[in-house]
Amino acid sequence: MRPTRIIISGGGTGGHIFPAISIANALRRMEPGCEILFVGANGRMEMDKVPAAGYKIIGLNISGIQRGSIVKNLGLPFKLLGSMRKALQIIADFKPDVVVGVGGYASGPILFAASLKNIPYLIQEQNSYAGMTNKWLGKKASKVCVAFDGMEQFFPADKLLKTGNPVRKDVVDVLNKHYAGAELLKLDPLKKTILVTGGSLGAGTLNKSIEKHILDFIDADVQLIWQTGKYYYKGIVERLGLDFNPNVRILEFLNKMDLAYAAADVIISRAGAGTIAELCMIKKPVILVPSPNVAEDHQTKNALALVKNNAALMIVDQSAEDILVKEALSLLNDKERSSIYADNIGKMALPDADQVIAAEVMLLAGRGANS
């Protein structure tokens, strides 16, 4: 028997790419000789991250709709047609047994091409609110793997499988690492600590909120791990100085995210689906400030799924500058509420998502090979 051939398509953000790589790694554990080809969008971060993880990737010349710019969208139909032709060619050349879509620009053309060639495909929908492309493609999908309840409003109920979102195992391995985290960050392990993270690029609202009320942390003698992101780091350091206060660690990026999570008592974050999956595994009190700058307001819907289960506190972006720091310090000092949030968010964790999804992919690949 020839090795199983699988195409994994999508990307654009770490929230799409890291789950895709996790699924690929789980597939390799199940069948070490399986052939995996990624399809991404040229110029997007998957074109670097996927080869770095040891997988081959082909890029499509595709982009999304540019809000507020008619001129930039004029070439979109031509890009779409070109991407469809290339997607059909990729399918013809690689001859996959199954195709997996994780979201992002490249996912649409390759899944549609698979549907035209009657190749089974699986959608991994990471958010609590499905985007237009996935809703449309979901009608012909063999399986739709989801992370939240209530997804039958977007997809056929008989195709749904609640798997959760794959997470990077090293990032969520926080057990018994509190002291190691404090040591790495040069913090006092006995002092209360808040972690603020806006992702690799950073979150403007989170940074403004923290900077505006930075002295509140000093006055409360609370330690702050402040991951600014690369867009904001230089300006913040220029204004405050790198060694602003012994209680404050200003960092562009956190290479050891597990140790930062482990050192923190309360975590402030955006509400991307991948981040939420990690936070459920970490089981600590969380404040979510959903980004308003994402398609179909996904992050607010993701955050509300936790709020509904009394598993996190949500603060809307517009209010964050005024109340975020005050609410964070209040939660830090409220042992009962912190404990409730930590317990409830932990109950929402689905730790083996990568393995469960990979097993479904292999089932579909078998069906595809025999059809």
Side-chain angles (χ1 to χ4, degrees):
M1 265 182 73
R2 71 169 175 81
T4 307
R5 288 182 185 157
I6 302 147
I7 287 177
I8 301 177
S9 62
T13 67
H16 292 311
I17 297 161
F18 295 126
I21 292 170
S22 294
I23 294 166
N25 292 341
L27 288 165
R28 279 272 163 87
R29 289 195 296 272
M30 287 178 185
E31 186 189 317
C34 70
E35 295 177 16
I36 297 171
L37 174 67
F38 279 76
V39 177
N42 284 327
R44 306 292 289 184
M45 65 188 287
E46 59 264 29
M47 302 308 292
D48 295 321
K49 297 288 184 188
V50 168
Y55 296 99
K56 184 183 176 186
I57 187 166
I58 296 174
L60 302 180
N61 186 29
I62 190 165
S63 59
I65 294 169
Q66 301 291 314
R67 288 178 176 81
S69 175
I70 295 170
V71 175
K72 287 182 180 176
N73 293 321
L74 291 176
L76 207 57
F78 302 101
K79 283 185 176 181
L80 198 55
L81 283 170
S83 292
M84 271 308 307
R85 276 197 296 271
K86 190 164 182 181
L88 285 164
Q89 190 62 54
I90 291 167
I91 295 277
D93 292 345
F94 190 69
K95 297 179 177 62
D97 298 303
V98 64
V99 176
V100 180
V102 298
Y105 302 140
S107 216
I110 205 81
L111 292 184
F112 185 53
S115 75
L116 293 176
K117 296 297 180 182
N118 294 314
I119 293 165
Y121 64 87
L122 176 150
I123 291 173
Q124 200 254 319
E125 173 56 67
Q126 291 145 11
N127 292 292
S128 63
Y129 191 92
M132 189 169 56
T133 305
N134 273 0
K135 280 191 278 188
W136 178 58
L137 290 164
K139 293 170 187 172
K140 287 192 175 181
S142 300
K143 189 69 71 174
V144 182
C145 295
V146 297
F148 296 92
D149 293 323
M151 298 302 286
E152 58 277 355
Q153 64 181 307
F154 307 113
F155 302 109
D158 60 330
K159 294 182 178 181
L160 289 176
L161 179 65
K162 188 180 177 187
T163 60
N165 284 320
V167 298
R168 292 167 288 172
K169 294 288 195 286
D170 57 324
V171 167
V172 298
D173 180 18
V174 299
L175 196 63
N176 299 323
K177 289 185 177 179
H178 177 81
Y179 282 86
E183 184 180 2
L184 177 77
L185 294 159
K186 297 182 174 63
L187 296 170
D188 183 342
L190 302 179
K191 277 188 183 180
K192 289 183 177 178
T193 304
I194 292 175
L195 165 65
V196 180
T197 173
S200 57
L201 300 180
T205 297
L206 297 189
N207 289 330
K208 285 178 196 168
S209 304
I210 299 304
E211 189 171 350
K212 185 175 179 179
H213 299 281
I214 191 80
L215 294 179
D216 292 2
F217 294 99
I218 312 303
D219 293 343
D221 198 24
V222 167
Q223 296 179 139
L224 178 67
I225 306 166
W226 183 6
Q227 187 257 315
T228 64
K230 73 174 186 178
Y231 284 169
Y232 304 94
Y233 178 74
K234 188 179 176 187
I236 289 167
V237 168
E238 282 175 356
R239 288 190 296 274
L240 299 181
L242 190 56
D243 300 315
F244 173 72
N245 185 276
N247 275 0
V248 177
R249 292 288 169 273
I250 303 171
L251 303 149
E252 178 181 337
F253 187 73
L254 286 160
N255 290 312
K256 289 281 188 180
M257 199 69 205
D258 56 326
L259 294 179
Y261 279 145
D265 298 293
V266 166
I267 299 164
I268 298 170
S269 172
R270 286 303 202 187
T275 301
I276 285 180
E278 290 177 3
L279 295 172
C280 289
M281 297 276 287
I282 287 153
K283 303 178 180 66
K284 291 196 174 185
V286 170
I287 299 175
L288 297 170
V289 185
S291 170
N293 307 313
V294 293
E296 299 175 75
D297 203 19
H298 279 148
Q299 290 203 6
T300 296
K301 285 146 188 158
N302 293 344
L304 286 171
L306 271 67
V307 171
K308 187 174 71 176
N309 288 295
N310 201 21
L313 174 65
M314 184 182 92
I315 293 175
V316 296
D317 194 81
Q318 305 94 295
S319 302
E321 272 194 61
D322 294 326
I323 67 170
L324 176 59
V325 170
K326 180 185 171 187
E327 290 290 342
L329 292 171
S330 173
L331 178 59
L332 189 68
N333 291 312
D334 189 334
K335 284 186 181 178
E336 185 180 356
R337 190 160 56 122
S338 290
S339 179
I340 290 167
Y341 284 162
D343 288 345
N344 288 341
I345 201 169
K347 288 172 189 171
M348 296 180 73
L350 293 162
D352 299 316
D354 55 347
Q355 290 168 234
V356 177
I357 294 167
E360 287 297 317
V361 172
M362 284 301 187
L363 279 174
L364 293 177
R367 189 190 305 167
N370 296 328
S371 59

